[in-house]
């Protein structure tokens, strides 16, 4: 059968438009209830946006009047300069990367086995699944900055608290993503293991794990990339890394050094994004470029 192009199909449909209306009246009949639902939803969203602007004292005039101050800060940042502290900044940047790497790796290692307990195709007990899933929700609902403040009070200031904060925050998020990936995995391999006489443990080990590992590895790489930025933010509250220098320099208005640190972070994140993107595409079987 000859395959027709979309433009040819469109011309044929338009030519027989009256016939289509006669054969399928319900498709061409306007649904007033659906239109009312769409209009009502948009009205609610716009109303909430207006209420939020009023409640938060949103003002375009204040933004316009403050633009000159923003221009002053931009001028103070030029030219970016390390002012003889390049080695110190590089060490802090390495510490930030170490926080992100250790936190992401710890979260992935802890979330991987627990995620199987939240997967419907692994654990048939709905009460156990519900408890594990709600545990993931509770943990990931706490922002990484709050986790950093908690761990600073537990283990003290420094990068160790930062790594623990990222590990706790990502444990809930990765656990949820891992469990969803396990549930949507192709069942053919697991059914083959079962058909060959394998136990439930064999089905998980030789059927599910090889099928989901590429997806899980891709998710871990993405989280490492994202956590590089998070490690910068939590450094502002004393959890180590380059963020600690950022907040100190901003307070004393050393804006040229601030600009240099921002450029270092931008370049680092861009490189990590490039490398992790290629690795993710290679892991999931896509093109490497």
């Amino acid at each position: 059968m000859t395959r027709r192009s979309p433009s040819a199909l469109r011309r044929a449909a338009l030519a027989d438009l009256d016939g289509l209306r006669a054969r399928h009246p319900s498709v061409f009949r306007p649904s007033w209830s659906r239109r009312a639902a769409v209009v009502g939803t948009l009205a609610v969203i716009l109303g909430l946006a207006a209420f939020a602007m009023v409640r938060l004292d949103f003002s375009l005039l204040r933004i316009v009047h403050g633009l000159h101050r923003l221009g002053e800060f931009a001028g103070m940042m030029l030219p970016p300069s390390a002012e003889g502290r390049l080695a110190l900044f590089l060490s802090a940047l390495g510490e930030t990367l170490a926080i992100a790497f250790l936190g992401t790796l710890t979260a992935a290692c802890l979330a991987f086995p627990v995620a199987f307990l939240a997967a419907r195709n692994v654990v048939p007990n709905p009460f156990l699944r519900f408890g594990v899933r709600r545990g993931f929700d509770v943990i990931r609902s706490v922002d990484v900055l709050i986790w950093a403040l908690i761990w600073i009070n537990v283990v003290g200031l420094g990068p160790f608290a930062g790594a623990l904060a990222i590990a706790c925050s990502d444990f809930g998020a990765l656990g949820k993503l891992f469990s969803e990936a396990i549930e949507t995995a192709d069942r053919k391999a697991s059914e083959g293991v079962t058909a060959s006489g394998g136990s439930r443990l064999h089905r998980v080990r030789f059927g599910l794990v090889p099928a989901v590992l590429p997806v899980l590895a891709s998710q871990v790489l993405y989280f490492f990339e994202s956590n590089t930025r998070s490690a910068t933010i939590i450094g502002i509250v004393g959890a180590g890394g380059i963020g600690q220098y950022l907040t100190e320099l901003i307070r004393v208005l050393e804006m040229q050094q601030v600009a240099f640190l921002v450029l270092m972070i931008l370049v680092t994140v861009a490189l990590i994004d490039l490398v992790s993107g290629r690795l993710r595409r290679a892991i999931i079987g896509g093109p490497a470029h």
Side-chain angles (χ1 to χ4, degrees), residues 95-120:
E95 189 174 88
T96 297
L97 294 175
I99 293 171
F101 174 76
L102 184 59
T104 307
L105 182 63
T106 303
C109 291
L110 294 176
F112 178 71
V114 182
F116 286 93
L117 300 178
R120 184 176 291 104

Side-chain angles (χ1 to χ4, degrees), residues 70-84:
L70 184 62
E72 292 177 4
F73 274 109
M76 294 169 62
M77 288 184 173
L78 299 176
S81 173
E83 297 186 7

Side-chain angles (χ1 to χ4, degrees), residues 24-59:
H24 307 283
S26 61
V27 176
F28 291 91
R29 187 183 304 118
S31 176
W32 296 108
S33 60
R34 184 175 181 181
R35 293 183 179 181
V38 172
V39 172
T41 303
L42 291 177
V44 170
I45 293 174
L46 292 176
L48 289 175
F51 174 76
M53 288 183 179
V54 174
R55 185 69 179 80
L56 300 178
D57 196 18
F58 183 85
S59 173

Side-chain angles (χ1 to χ4, degrees), residues 3-275:
R3 186 176 181 180
R4 304 175 69 179
S5 65
S7 58
L9 291 174
R10 182 176 183 274
R11 288 195 299 269
L14 291 176
D16 190 31
L17 186 58
D18 293 335
L20 289 173
R21 290 180 184 274
R23 291 191 297 271
H24 307 283
S26 61
V27 176
F28 291 91
R29 187 183 304 118
S31 176
W32 296 108
S33 60
R34 184 175 181 181
R35 293 183 179 181
V38 172
V39 172
T41 303
L42 291 177
V44 170
I45 293 174
L46 292 176
L48 289 175
F51 174 76
M53 288 183 179
V54 174
R55 185 69 179 80
L56 300 178
D57 196 18
F58 183 85
S59 173
L60 289 176
L61 290 177
R62 291 169 62 185
I63 296 176
V64 173
H65 292 161
L67 287 178
H68 74 281
R69 185 59 177 166
L70 184 62
E72 292 177 4
F73 274 109
M76 294 169 62
M77 288 184 173
L78 299 176
S81 173
E83 297 186 7
R85 307 176 71 182
L86 178 60
L88 187 62
F89 291 163
L90 288 175
S91 176
L93 181 61
E95 189 174 88
T96 297
L97 294 175
I99 293 171
F101 174 76
L102 184 59
T104 307
L105 182 63
T106 303
C109 291
L110 294 176
F112 178 71
V114 182
F116 286 93
L117 300 178
R120 184 176 291 104
N121 54 342
V122 176
V123 176
N125 189 327
F127 300 102
L128 178 58
R129 290 200 316 269
F130 179 83
V132 175
R133 285 179 178 271
R134 297 296 77 78
F136 284 149
D137 292 340
V138 170
I139 293 174
R140 70 189 180 90
S141 65
V142 181
D143 188 75
V144 64
L145 197 61
I146 300 176
W147 279 117
L149 292 172
I150 293 173
W151 282 112
I152 285 173
N153 285 279
V154 174
V155 300
L157 298 171
F160 183 43
L164 290 174
I166 289 179
C168 288
S169 177
D170 284 3
F171 172 73
L174 286 175
K176 182 178 186 300
L177 293 175
F178 286 0
S179 63
E180 292 176 351
I182 293 168
E183 286 186 345
T184 58
D186 190 359
R187 299 182 179 180
K188 293 180 180 179
S190 300
E191 292 172 353
V193 173
T194 303
S196 62
S199 64
R200 178 176 295 180
L201 181 61
H202 292 152
R203 179 169 61 88
V204 174
R205 169 61 183 85
F206 299 103
L208 280 177
V209 172
V212 300
L213 270 182
V215 178
L216 304 190
S218 174
Q219 292 172 344
V220 171
L221 285 172
Y222 174 77
F223 267 72
F224 171 63
E225 170 197 330
S226 176
N227 286 335
T228 303
R229 296 185 291 270
S230 298
T232 302
I233 299 301
I234 62 177
I236 294 178
V237 298
I242 204 169
Q244 188 171 350
Y245 290 98
L246 263 177
T247 184
E248 291 176 359
L249 293 172
I250 290 174
R251 286 173 181 170
V252 297
L253 295 180
E254 292 287 348
M255 304 307 293
Q256 290 181 328
Q257 296 184 57
V258 170
F260 188 83
L261 289 177
V262 170
L263 287 177
M264 288 179 62
I265 296 170
L266 290 176
V267 172
T268 302
V269 170
L271 290 176
I272 292 175
D273 179 44
L274 177 64
V275 174

